Amino acid sequence: MIFAVWIPLLVPLLAVPTARRLAESLPPRAAAWLLAGCAAVLAACTAAALCLLTVAGALRLPPVAAFGHLVRALPGAGAAVTVPAAPVAGALLALCACAVARRALRHRAELRTARRTADAHGRAGDLCVLPDAAPDAYALPGRPGRVVVTAGMLRALPPAEREALFAHERAHLAGRHHLFLLTAALAAGCHPLLRGLRSPLAYALERWADESAASRVGDRQVTARAIGRAALAARTHPAAAPRPGTALAATAGPVPRRVAALLTPDRPADRPRGRAAPVGHRLIAAALLACVTVSAAGAVDAAADLHRTVESAQGEPKGR
C-alpha cells in the first residue's frame, strides 16, 4: 500500500494535459463525455487515496488500534511514512469534502435564485424573457428547463438568428450539460489539477450545442452568425444580471474558434491537421487510458493491501 496509495494523487499530473490534448481531436459530444468521465474517476481515486492514507496512519495509533480490535501492530515498515502522513491526508480529505459540499450548495442556491427571477416574468413554453436591456441568453436547468433571454438580446438578433440561439440553448437543456460542468467543478474540489479540465469541457459543451443548433435550423451559416452577433452584443453592452455558474450560454468560450468550426465542417477549426494525426491520437488515447487505469488500480490495490494488513493484525486468516 505504501507505494500504490500515492499513485492516484500523482496521476493527474499526466492525465489532465493528456485528456485536454485528446479532447481537441474528438467530436464535441465525445470530448465532453471524455473530460467529465476523467474528472469523475480521477477525483474518486484521489478521495479514496486520501481516505486510505488517513485510515492506515490512524490504525497505527494505540487508541485507534484498540477500537479496531487489532491484537498486534500493523505489519509492514510503512509506519515512518503513514503516521505523519495521516493527519495531513485527513486534513486534505476534510478540505475536499468541504469544497465539494460548498460547491454543491452554491449550485443549488444559484439555481433557486435564477428560477425565482425567471418565475417573476412571463414565459411562452420553455422561453422566459427578462426585461433587461443588457443582451444575454442562457439555458436554465430544472424541471422544466427554460431558455432565459433578455429583451436586449432579442433586439440584437434578427428572427432567424434568434431561432438558432434558442436551438443552441435548448441543446444544452436536452443534453443536461450543466451536470457535466457540475461534475468538473466537484472534481476540482478533490484535486486542484482537475481544474484544468473545466475550460476544455465548457468549450466542448458549447461546440456540442453549436452542432445541435446547426442541425436543428438546417443552416450552419445562420447559426454561426447568431453566435457571433450574440457574443458581440453581450460584450459591447453593460453586464447582465449574474447567471448560475453551470448555466451555459451561447456567448461563452472562444467564440471566433467556434464560429470557424461551424463554417468549416469538413475541417473543423479545433481539430489538428496532418496525416500523422490519427496515429498520434491513438497514442494519446492509449496514454490517457493507461493513466486512468493505473490510478484506479492503485486505489484498489492500496485498499486490498490495507484490508489484508488489518485482517492480519486482528489475528484473522489471510485467506478469509
Side-chain angles (χ1 to χ4, degrees), residues 204-277:
L205 293 173
E206 293 300 337
R207 284 285 299 117
W208 181 355
D210 290 344
E211 294 296 330
S212 296
S215 176
R216 182 68 179 269
V217 302
D219 194 324
R220 301 181 69 87
Q221 291 187 351
V222 169
T223 305
R225 286 200 304 270
I227 292 169
R229 200 189 304 272
L232 183 62
R235 293 176 184 179
T236 55
H237 288 75
R243 69 171 74 99
T246 56
L248 293 106
T251 57
V255 174
R257 187 178 171 195
R258 291 168 50 202
V259 170
L262 279 170
L263 296 178
T264 55
D266 295 331
R267 181 174 287 179
D270 52 354
R271 186 170 299 175
R273 303 177 184 181
R275 296 179 60 184

Side-chain angles (χ1 to χ4, degrees), residues 88-161:
V88 176
L92 291 175
L93 188 62
L95 288 175
C96 290
C98 290
V100 169
R102 184 173 56 195
R103 184 65 189 88
L105 291 174
R106 186 172 67 183
H107 168 74
R108 184 179 180 182
E110 289 175 346
L111 288 184
R112 282 184 173 179
T113 300
R115 290 193 69 83
R116 280 198 297 266
T117 301
D119 290 340
H121 300 86
R123 58 190 177 94
D126 65 345
L127 184 64
C128 175
V129 180
L130 303 182
D132 299 351
D136 196 13
Y138 58 90
L140 179 60
R143 296 183 179 179
R146 299 177 186 175
V147 175
V148 179
V149 62
T150 64
M153 182 62 80
L154 293 178
R155 287 193 293 267
L157 301 179
E161 294 177 12

Side-chain angles (χ1 to χ4, degrees), residues 68-69 71-72 307-308 310-320:
H69 306 290
V71 297
R72 53 178 176 270
H307 178 69
R308 290 192 298 268
V310 170
E311 281 193 334
S312 175
Q314 289 175 334
E316 298 180 13
K318 294 184 179 180
R320 178 180 171 181

